[in-house]
Amino acid sequence: MQKLLISVVALIALVAGVVIYNTLPKPQPQALVYEPARALQPFTLESSLGSDVTNDNLKGQWTLLFTGYTFCPDICPTTMADLRKALPQLTKHTELPVRIWMISVDPKRDSVKRVTDYASFFGEEFVGIRAEHPQLYPFVNGLGLMYSIPEEGETDYLVNHSAAIVLVNPNGERQAIFKAEHVMGEVPTVNMENMATDFAIIASSFN
């Protein structure tokens, strides 16, 4: 009788524990998560992969996309280096590949060879992307990002562009956007620790 009572009490405790766990608030990502995920318009862009890329190249993997250019003095190299360090943390949370697309917003100076050399410096997971403005601008705008176009004839210029990073899910859809932190006197960049935490939450709930 005593053993039966102990078993009943243990079962009640187990059920109560499950109920309490299920009623606890689940961790929420700090990133802006799109629910449902948003489809990308059809695109064809040049890449460092040796051929053009389309929507199909985003499928079957998690992809982080951000705008930059090879002449960028601060945000771009900092973000690329940060992403290289963060990759091991991201890949722990998914069995699928994690790739990074650096989308050049300076087609005048960034040739395919130049973005290829730039991206490959950071690792094989990095892909350099470029296109002329008629194809590039709608693609970047569709991601929810922006960039400036220099005046015609300018040769030595900076390109203003978004510092945020867009996450595309294995279905090739926009899943989230990680916004950059703006601190006075510092280069605006995405907090990689927060991004890794958010990615773990997003990847674990992805169907």
Side-chain angles (χ1 to χ4, degrees):
M1 184 66 179
Q2 187 176 7
K3 289 183 179 179
L4 178 60
L5 182 60
I6 293 173
S7 298
V8 171
V9 171
L11 180 60
I12 293 173
L14 176 62
V15 172
V18 171
V19 171
I20 292 172
Y21 174 79
N22 288 332
T23 57
L24 288 174
K26 300 296 187 293
Q28 295 297 315
Q30 298 182 47
L32 171 60
V33 179
Y34 300 113
E35 295 291 354
R38 300 182 181 181
L40 293 177
Q41 292 298 311
F43 64 84
T44 300
L45 307 167
E46 296 176 89
S47 81
S48 60
L49 297 175
S51 61
D52 290 350
V53 291
T54 65
N55 301 67
D56 287 340
N57 293 90
L58 291 171
K59 296 179 179 178
Q61 64 185 38
W62 290 97
T63 315
L64 297 165
L65 295 82
F66 77 101
T67 52
Y69 62 111
T70 65
F71 287 87
C72 178
D74 41 37
I75 296 174
C76 309
T78 299
T79 300
M80 292 284 270
D82 287 347
L83 284 168
R84 180 170 59 182
K85 292 178 184 177
L87 262 176
Q89 282 293 108
L90 303 179
T91 55
K92 287 196 308 185
H93 301 293
T94 178
E95 295 180 355
L96 295 173
V98 179
R99 298 288 181 261
I100 296 160
W101 284 19
M102 195 284 283
I103 305 158
S104 172
V105 290
D106 186 14
K108 182 176 181 179
R109 295 180 294 187
D110 280 349
S111 62
V112 172
K113 182 181 185 307
R114 190 170 179 90
V115 296
T116 298
D117 291 343
Y118 190 81
S120 62
F121 173 80
F122 293 93
E124 61 181 12
E125 299 87 358
F126 290 77
V127 179
I129 302 292
R130 79 165 302 281
E132 297 301 321
H133 291 301
Q135 296 77 41
L136 178 66
Y137 188 83
F139 177 67
V140 171
N141 188 57
L143 293 174
L145 304 177
M146 57 74 64
Y147 69 93
S148 65
I149 300 176
E151 295 291 333
E152 188 174 348
E154 282 191 87
T155 56
D156 185 16
Y157 54 85
L158 298 175
V159 180
N160 295 320
H161 60 89
S162 302
I165 297 173
V166 173
L167 176 66
V168 173
N169 68 30
N171 292 333
E173 304 163 322
R174 274 193 301 160
Q175 188 69 65
I177 183 166
F178 306 105
K179 296 184 178 181
E181 295 182 346
H182 294 265
V183 179
M184 185 70 69
E186 296 183 12
V187 175
T189 56
V190 172
N191 184 304
M192 294 293 149
E193 289 187 11
N194 291 344
M195 187 181 76
T197 300
D198 287 351
F199 179 78
I201 298 171
I202 295 167
S204 66
S205 60
F206 179 76
N207 295 319

PDB file of all heavy atoms in Angstrom, residues 6-7 51 63-64 110 117 129 178 180 190 205:
ATOM      1  N   ILE A   6       3.302   5.920  -2.838  1.00  0.00           N
ATOM      2  CA  ILE A   6       4.501   6.632  -3.327  1.00  0.00           C
ATOM      3  C   ILE A   6       4.457   6.784  -4.843  1.00  0.00           C
ATOM      4  O   ILE A   6       4.768   7.840  -5.400  1.00  0.00           O
ATOM      5  CB  ILE A   6       5.784   5.891  -2.895  1.00  0.00           C
ATOM      6  CG1 ILE A   6       5.943   5.958  -1.363  1.00  0.00           C
ATOM      7  CG2 ILE A   6       6.996   6.486  -3.591  1.00  0.00           C
ATOM      8  CD1 ILE A   6       7.078   5.121  -0.840  1.00  0.00           C
ATOM      9  N   SER A   7       4.023   5.714  -5.532  1.00  0.00           N
ATOM     10  CA  SER A   7       3.939   5.749  -6.995  1.00  0.00           C
ATOM     11  C   SER A   7       2.919   6.777  -7.460  1.00  0.00           C
ATOM     12  O   SER A   7       3.146   7.520  -8.419  1.00  0.00           O
ATOM     13  CB  SER A   7       3.561   4.364  -7.532  1.00  0.00           C
ATOM     14  OG  SER A   7       4.544   3.408  -7.195  1.00  0.00           O
ATOM     15  N   SER A  51      28.700  31.038 -60.805  1.00  0.00           N
ATOM     16  CA  SER A  51      27.510  31.165 -61.645  1.00  0.00           C
ATOM     17  C   SER A  51      26.511  32.077 -60.948  1.00  0.00           C
ATOM     18  O   SER A  51      26.676  32.423 -59.775  1.00  0.00           O
ATOM     19  CB  SER A  51      26.877  29.791 -61.896  1.00  0.00           C
ATOM     20  OG  SER A  51      26.485  29.196 -60.665  1.00  0.00           O
ATOM     21  N   THR A  63      20.419  31.062 -44.331  1.00  0.00           N
ATOM     22  CA  THR A  63      21.295  32.054 -44.954  1.00  0.00           C
ATOM     23  C   THR A  63      21.165  33.394 -44.242  1.00  0.00           C
ATOM     24  O   THR A  63      20.050  33.870 -43.993  1.00  0.00           O
ATOM     25  CB  THR A  63      20.950  32.243 -46.439  1.00  0.00           C
ATOM     26  OG1 THR A  63      20.772  30.967 -47.062  1.00  0.00           O
ATOM     27  CG2 THR A  63      22.076  32.981 -47.153  1.00  0.00           C
ATOM     28  N   LEU A  64      22.298  33.975 -43.920  1.00  0.00           N
ATOM     29  CA  LEU A  64      22.356  35.322 -43.363  1.00  0.00           C
ATOM     30  C   LEU A  64      22.784  36.267 -44.472  1.00  0.00           C
ATOM     31  O   LEU A  64      23.833  36.064 -45.089  1.00  0.00           O
ATOM     32  CB  LEU A  64      23.339  35.376 -42.200  1.00  0.00           C
ATOM     33  CG  LEU A  64      22.983  34.512 -40.981  1.00  0.00           C
ATOM     34  CD1 LEU A  64      24.186  34.352 -40.068  1.00  0.00           C
ATOM     35  CD2 LEU A  64      21.816  35.118 -40.213  1.00  0.00           C
ATOM     36  N   ASP A 110      32.834  47.022 -57.440  1.00  0.00           N
ATOM     37  CA  ASP A 110      32.926  45.628 -57.019  1.00  0.00           C
ATOM     38  C   ASP A 110      32.566  44.672 -58.158  1.00  0.00           C
ATOM     39  O   ASP A 110      31.395  44.425 -58.451  1.00  0.00           O
ATOM     40  CB  ASP A 110      31.989  45.374 -55.826  1.00  0.00           C
ATOM     41  CG  ASP A 110      32.596  45.846 -54.522  1.00  0.00           C
ATOM     42  OD1 ASP A 110      33.797  46.167 -54.504  1.00  0.00           O
ATOM     43  OD2 ASP A 110      31.863  45.891 -53.514  1.00  0.00           O
ATOM     44  N   ASP A 117      37.068  37.366 -54.147  1.00  0.00           N
ATOM     45  CA  ASP A 117      38.287  37.428 -53.326  1.00  0.00           C
ATOM     46  C   ASP A 117      37.950  37.873 -51.900  1.00  0.00           C
ATOM     47  O   ASP A 117      38.492  37.336 -50.922  1.00  0.00           O
ATOM     48  CB  ASP A 117      39.297  38.400 -53.952  1.00  0.00           C
ATOM     49  CG  ASP A 117      39.867  37.878 -55.262  1.00  0.00           C
ATOM     50  OD1 ASP A 117      39.741  36.667 -55.532  1.00  0.00           O
ATOM     51  OD2 ASP A 117      40.426  38.691 -56.020  1.00  0.00           O
ATOM     52  N   ILE A 129      28.024  38.505 -53.451  1.00  0.00           N
ATOM     53  CA  ILE A 129      26.921  38.723 -54.388  1.00  0.00           C
ATOM     54  C   ILE A 129      27.031  40.124 -54.980  1.00  0.00           C
ATOM     55  O   ILE A 129      27.367  41.071 -54.271  1.00  0.00           O
ATOM     56  CB  ILE A 129      25.553  38.600 -53.663  1.00  0.00           C
ATOM     57  CG1 ILE A 129      25.398  37.225 -53.005  1.00  0.00           C
ATOM     58  CG2 ILE A 129      24.406  38.889 -54.626  1.00  0.00           C
ATOM     59  CD1 ILE A 129      25.283  36.077 -53.958  1.00  0.00           C
ATOM     60  N   PHE A 178      17.879  40.861 -37.907  1.00  0.00           N
ATOM     61  CA  PHE A 178      18.642  41.228 -36.714  1.00  0.00           C
ATOM     62  C   PHE A 178      19.132  42.658 -36.914  1.00  0.00           C
ATOM     63  O   PHE A 178      19.933  42.930 -37.816  1.00  0.00           O
ATOM     64  CB  PHE A 178      19.827  40.280 -36.529  1.00  0.00           C
ATOM     65  CG  PHE A 178      19.436  38.823 -36.503  1.00  0.00           C
ATOM     66  CD1 PHE A 178      19.677  38.009 -37.601  1.00  0.00           C
ATOM     67  CD2 PHE A 178      18.832  38.267 -35.391  1.00  0.00           C
ATOM     68  CE1 PHE A 178      19.322  36.674 -37.592  1.00  0.00           C
ATOM     69  CE2 PHE A 178      18.474  36.929 -35.365  1.00  0.00           C
ATOM     70  CZ  PHE A 178      18.720  36.118 -36.471  1.00  0.00           C
ATOM     71  N   ALA A 180      21.014  46.261 -36.101  1.00  0.00           N
ATOM     72  CA  ALA A 180      22.297  46.681 -35.536  1.00  0.00           C
ATOM     73  C   ALA A 180      22.094  47.535 -34.298  1.00  0.00           C
ATOM     74  O   ALA A 180      21.079  48.230 -34.160  1.00  0.00           O
ATOM     75  CB  ALA A 180      23.096  47.460 -36.578  1.00  0.00           C
ATOM     76  N   VAL A 190      25.560  44.255 -35.509  1.00  0.00           N
ATOM     77  CA  VAL A 190      24.617  43.353 -34.866  1.00  0.00           C
ATOM     78  C   VAL A 190      25.316  42.647 -33.703  1.00  0.00           C
ATOM     79  O   VAL A 190      26.467  42.214 -33.831  1.00  0.00           O
ATOM     80  CB  VAL A 190      24.095  42.308 -35.878  1.00  0.00           C
ATOM     81  CG1 VAL A 190      23.271  41.232 -35.187  1.00  0.00           C
ATOM     82  CG2 VAL A 190      23.284  42.994 -36.972  1.00  0.00           C
ATOM     83  N   SER A 205      12.166  26.038 -33.665  1.00  0.00           N
ATOM     84  CA  SER A 205      10.717  26.064 -33.895  1.00  0.00           C
ATOM     85  C   SER A 205      10.363  25.991 -35.371  1.00  0.00           C
ATOM     86  O   SER A 205       9.179  26.011 -35.742  1.00  0.00           O
ATOM     87  CB  SER A 205      10.094  27.338 -33.298  1.00  0.00           C
ATOM     88  OG  SER A 205      10.659  28.490 -33.906  1.00  0.00           O
TER      89      SER A 205
END
